[in-house]
Amino acid sequence: YNSFCVTSNPIIGSGTTLGNLFDNVKDVGPFSVIEKYGLRLSHKIGGASPVNSVFQNMKKVGLNNSVSIFKLLRKRNKTLASMGFPSYKGGEDVVETFKQNVEKSSMSNKSFFAMVNFMEAHDPHQTDLNPMDFNSKMGQVSRLLLQSKIGLRDINFDFVNNEMEDIKKTIRDNIKKLDRFIGEIVNFLKEKELYNNTLIILTSDNGEALGENGFAGHRYYLFDELVKVPLIIKYPDQILGNTVAN
């Protein structure tokens, strides 16, 4: 059989150990652009903002390197903005690339094992970003709540609640997109008469806290909002329901 991975998530992309497990790995969408221009580098040197990177890290890397970093991140953010990020997160390309790989497997009369990764439900959740500053609204709210929780500062909860309502609305919109993309995959498999003979598993690596228990995001804690994730399994027709196998 053919194995392939289609991902809009650079953390499990072609340059990772997980990527080595497949015959073919295709990185698509804006998150692959973020990785190309150095997501991990920007985090190490002070965040995704070009201006912050220069002023916060001049002592660490020197003026010339700081200016180079500024230009690199500026170019990256312009590229992302031209793609429609963060409103666009690559789901359309994930679906299309999946279809192409299934077609190739069918042409070679081979079965396939596929891993498909979507980022529609992932931060950044805002749709009104300045194209020159991709700092995360969720990250800002998460830091404020955490600092309040451990007593480092008092925060304006009206501001936090308003920001969280905006985030929730955007997440709902993005999950509707994700639902549509999954539906496209299912319909494609049915059109190709592959659905009845295919095992489909739908799951997630983590949930997202949206202010519950005084936290936001998906780091540092293990509340139900983070660890109770979907797990939906659609068996092939050959496997009957309520069947127990050793």
Side-chain angles (χ1 to χ4, degrees), residues 178-196:
L178 178 57
D179 182 73
R180 187 178 80 246
F181 295 144
I182 294 171
E184 289 181 22
I185 287 177
V186 168
N187 288 334
F188 171 77
L189 292 174
K190 289 180 177 179
E191 290 171 7
K192 298 298 177 180
E193 298 183 349
L194 296 170
Y195 179 79
N196 292 338

Side-chain angles (χ1 to χ4, degrees), residues 33-42 45 48-51 53-54 64-80 132 134:
V33 172
I34 293 175
E35 180 69 6
K36 174 184 175 183
Y37 283 98
L39 173 65
R40 294 186 182 90
L41 173 64
S42 67
I45 60 175
S49 165
V51 175
S53 296
V54 171
N64 289 338
N65 286 333
S66 293
V67 172
S68 297
I69 290 167
F70 173 86
K71 292 179 178 178
L72 184 68
L73 296 181
R74 182 183 175 91
K75 183 178 180 181
R76 183 201 68 182
N77 288 359
K78 283 185 174 180
T79 302
L80 290 172
M132 298 309 299
F134 285 92

Side-chain angles (χ1 to χ4, degrees), residues 127-140:
T127 57
D128 57 352
L129 279 177
N130 181 328
M132 298 309 299
D133 185 1
F134 285 92
N135 285 320
S136 160
K137 180 182 286 189
M138 174 64 86
Q140 295 166 359

Side-chain angles (χ1 to χ4, degrees), residues 17-213:
T17 302
L18 182 61
N20 295 332
L21 300 177
F22 297 89
D23 298 326
N24 182 32
V25 180
K26 182 64 176 178
D27 303 299
V28 301
F31 285 91
S32 60
V33 172
I34 293 175
E35 180 69 6
K36 174 184 175 183
Y37 283 98
L39 173 65
R40 294 186 182 90
L41 173 64
S42 67
H43 282 179
K44 289 179 182 177
I45 60 175
S49 165
V51 175
N52 288 347
S53 296
V54 171
F55 287 105
Q56 291 180 16
N57 298 279
M58 205 171 291
K59 289 183 180 180
K60 293 182 184 178
V61 298
L63 177 60
N64 289 338
N65 286 333
S66 293
V67 172
S68 297
I69 290 167
F70 173 86
K71 292 179 178 178
L72 184 68
L73 296 181
R74 182 183 175 91
K75 183 178 180 181
R76 183 201 68 182
N77 288 359
K78 283 185 174 180
T79 302
L80 290 172
S82 70
M83 299 174 74
F85 180 80
S87 195
Y88 162 73
K89 295 183 178 179
E92 295 89 345
D93 292 331
V94 169
V95 172
E96 188 58 35
T97 306
F98 170 81
K99 292 179 180 179
Q100 293 170 4
N101 277 272
V102 171
E103 294 274 16
K104 289 179 182 178
S105 294
S106 296
M107 290 175 64
S108 59
N109 294 318
K110 286 186 175 181
S111 300
F112 67 89
F113 174 84
M115 178 175 177
V116 181
N117 184 262
F118 290 98
M119 292 292 281
E120 268 61 32
H122 199 282
D123 191 35
H125 299 298
Q126 63 271 43
T127 57
D128 57 352
L129 279 177
N130 181 328
M132 298 309 299
D133 185 1
F134 285 92
N135 285 320
S136 160
K137 180 182 286 189
M138 174 64 86
Q140 295 166 359
V141 172
S142 177
R143 284 190 293 274
L144 286 174
L145 288 172
L146 184 60
Q147 289 167 356
S148 172
K149 195 80 171 177
I150 63 178
L152 286 181
R153 64 184 295 180
D154 294 327
I155 64 173
N156 183 337
F157 279 98
D158 287 338
F159 167 78
V160 169
N161 290 336
N162 288 337
E163 293 289 280
M164 192 58 71
E165 286 305 310
D166 288 343
I167 291 171
K168 288 178 180 179
K169 179 182 182 303
T170 308
I171 289 176
R172 285 193 292 268
D173 292 341
N174 286 334
I175 289 177
K176 288 178 182 178
K177 286 183 185 178
L178 178 57
D179 182 73
R180 187 178 80 246
F181 295 144
I182 294 171
E184 289 181 22
I185 287 177
V186 168
N187 288 334
F188 171 77
L189 292 174
K190 289 180 177 179
E191 290 171 7
K192 298 298 177 180
E193 298 183 349
L194 296 170
Y195 179 79
N196 292 338
N197 194 35
T198 301
L199 171 69
I200 301 174
I201 301 174
L202 174 64
T203 190
S204 176
D205 55 344
N206 59 262
E208 190 90 319
L210 300 173
E212 301 89 352
N213 304 295

